[in-house]
Amino acid sequence: MRDSSIYFLWIDNRILLRVMMMMMIGSCRCVLGLENINPIFFDEGLSHLFGEGNLIRSPDDRSVRLLLDKYTGSGFISSSMYQHGFFSSLIKLPGAYTAGIVVAFYTSNGDVFVKNHDELDIEFLGNQEGKPWRFQTNMYGNGSTNRGREERYRLWFDPSKEFHRYSILWTPTKIIFWVDDVPIREIVRKEEMEGDYPQKPMSLYATIWDASSWATSGGKFGVDYTFSPFVSEFKDIALDGCNVSDSLPTVTGENNNNNNNVGNYGHINCSVSDQFLMTNDYSTISPKQAASMRRFRERYMYYSYCYDTIRYSKPPPECVIVTAEKNRFRDTGRLKFGGSHPKARKKRRRNRSTPVVSADL
């Protein structure tokens, strides 16, 4: 009888252990998201952008903290530029009172092409204590800052409690923004977009900065530095793409505003890298993921430029008009977007005109 009890106790413990392991795997899947992601060490592909001592690297060089205090924000940049790529990181945002703060994870070439830059943004917008973070995605091509493609969303989790993976895929034919393993936005390139689709090599950036003038309720609530320092954490950063830094032509003040500069990159062969990107799992939205994206947009998207008839009397060519979404957003009106990303060193000055619009949500 005693042996039988021990046996059943052993079986119960094995079942309990298996259930716990399945729960852990499920939890990790939720946080880690996509498969086939190859994180890099900071020294492998990233460098300090601005912020003096406000960038703190971990001892294993796998993660970095970006701090904002009353003196400065901080940021890092990829050491190379990429002609298309997959850019991804686990990110944890500051908690408590975060009004006026922006944490940005984005690609850009604004330090090279000041007046005709390309850009893909994920920008997290802080809020008053007790109110959730919000975030927006955006796309600029060839300096099209007067034709912003902003969408704004809420999240289904608290991004200050644990790490979640945020990713940007950019290929010759489409752009996908991911949160964990949920695609939240897909932009399919259309011929009518012309230069508005990003075509020039870009670097990856991550920054935290003071955007009190617009980030929270249109600037009504600014950064309260009694809660500082504000800490954002990035880890398991991935950079997959066609590294073209060694192949780039020299860009001078005389030609960096030339809209035809994109032609200078025609000799760079990225076909192998592009094929890798376009056949990887993060480039394909499965039927299940498409359903998740639809649910996300129905429940958590609260602004889309495609339905802003004040800014666009006719939707831009890449917009796919969904009747249910159109009915939701017909009275959206205009939100206040904005501002340039923080200016770092002189050689990385970033200028971007700001479409001024009205109420925030």
Side-chain angles (χ1 to χ4, degrees):
M1 183 67 178
R2 181 185 175 192
D3 290 344
S4 176
S5 298
I6 292 174
Y7 173 76
F8 283 112
L9 179 62
W10 176 72
I11 290 292
D12 288 344
N13 286 339
R14 282 176 61 88
I15 293 172
L16 178 61
L17 180 61
R18 180 170 292 185
V19 170
M20 291 175 64
M21 289 178 67
M22 290 176 67
M23 290 174 65
M24 290 173 64
I25 291 171
S27 174
C28 289
R29 173 65 178 168
C30 175
V31 174
L32 295 180
L34 304 171
E35 306 285 352
N36 303 325
I37 290 176
N38 302 307
I40 62 171
F41 293 104
F42 192 91
D43 267 345
E44 277 187 274
L46 304 167
S47 59
H48 183 208
L49 177 62
F50 74 102
E52 301 301 328
N54 279 6
L55 184 151
I56 302 172
R57 291 159 57 176
S58 64
D60 65 1
D61 211 34
R62 286 287 193 184
S63 64
V64 58
R65 292 184 173 188
L66 298 181
L67 278 63
L68 169 68
D69 57 28
K70 64 181 180 179
Y71 301 105
T72 183
S74 53
F76 62 81
I77 184 175
S78 60
S79 304
S80 300
M81 299 184 77
Y82 295 84
Q83 182 68 32
H84 310 129
F86 177 75
F87 311 94
S88 182
S89 180
L90 289 170
I91 303 174
K92 185 178 179 183
L93 301 177
Y97 186 95
T98 56
I101 295 172
V102 168
V103 176
F105 184 75
Y106 64 104
T107 64
S108 178
N109 47 38
D111 54 349
V112 176
F113 299 95
V114 177
K115 293 187 178 180
N116 65 325
H117 79 287
D118 306 297
E119 190 167 313
L120 295 170
D121 291 310
I122 298 177
E123 293 180 308
F124 301 96
L125 311 176
N127 216 331
Q128 297 171 271
E129 190 166 10
K131 293 188 177 182
W133 279 85
R134 298 144 304 120
F135 74 109
Q136 68 181 28
T137 60
N138 203 356
M139 176 189 75
Y140 294 121
N142 209 32
S144 58
T145 54
N146 63 333
R147 296 186 298 279
R149 267 96 167 164
E150 301 94 341
E151 289 188 346
R152 281 195 177 184
Y153 327 87
R154 298 178 181 88
L155 287 162
W156 63 96
F157 53 81
D158 184 344
S160 69
K161 297 297 185 185
E162 60 182 359
F163 285 93
H164 287 266
R165 182 165 290 282
Y166 305 89
S167 309
I168 301 170
L169 171 72
W170 169 44
T171 77
T173 59
K174 64 182 171 182
I175 294 159
I176 303 176
F177 294 90
W178 294 84
V179 176
D180 292 330
D181 55 359
V182 177
I184 63 165
R185 179 180 182 182
E186 181 181 32
I187 301 169
V188 177
R189 185 176 183 177
K190 299 289 183 66
E191 184 178 347
E192 296 86 348
M193 296 174 70
E194 299 179 341
D196 284 3
Y197 189 89
Q199 298 176 61
K200 300 185 291 295
M202 293 191 280
S203 300
L204 172 68
Y205 293 78
T207 57
I208 182 171
W209 51 291
D210 185 329
S212 294
S213 64
W214 67 272
T216 306
S217 298
K220 183 178 179 181
F221 302 99
V223 177
D224 183 345
Y225 285 103
T226 61
F227 291 92
S228 68
F230 302 97
V231 181
S232 56
E233 300 181 65
F234 297 76
K235 71 176 183 180
D236 290 351
I237 302 162
L239 294 170
D240 286 336
C242 186
N243 183 335
V244 298
S245 288
D246 294 337
S247 306
L248 291 178
T250 301
V251 179
T252 68
E254 295 178 356
N255 65 15
N256 70 349
N257 296 328
N258 183 350
N259 289 347
N260 296 321
N261 272 338
V262 66
N264 295 336
Y265 305 108
H267 69 284
I268 301 173
N269 187 350
C270 290
S271 58
V272 174
S273 175
D274 287 346
Q275 182 66 16
F276 171 81
L277 288 174
M278 291 188 288
T279 55
N280 217 310
D281 66 332
Y282 45 63
S283 187
T284 302
I285 298 177
S286 69
K288 183 178 179 180
Q289 289 170 329
S292 296
M293 180 167 68
R294 184 173 62 253
R295 286 193 298 270
F296 169 83
R297 296 175 69 82
E298 288 173 354
R299 297 175 186 176
Y300 300 104
M301 182 172 73
Y302 67 90
Y303 176 83
S304 172
Y305 70 102
C306 288
Y307 305 108
D308 191 337
T309 57
I310 300 175
R311 295 175 72 189
Y312 298 104
S313 57
K314 179 181 179 182
E318 74 280 3
C319 287
V320 177
I321 302 302
V322 179
T323 302
E325 290 182 1
K326 184 177 181 180
N327 291 338
R328 283 179 60 208
F329 292 117
R330 66 178 183 272
D331 299 319
T332 295
R334 308 182 92 187
L335 303 178
K336 186 173 182 182
F337 299 105
S340 300
H341 290 290
K343 297 182 176 74
R345 298 185 293 270
K346 232 177 190 179
K347 66 178 182 179
R348 298 197 185 279
R349 288 183 64 85
R350 302 174 49 74
N351 298 308
R352 185 164 85 191
S353 60
T354 304
V356 178
V357 286
S358 58
D360 195 2
L361 293 180

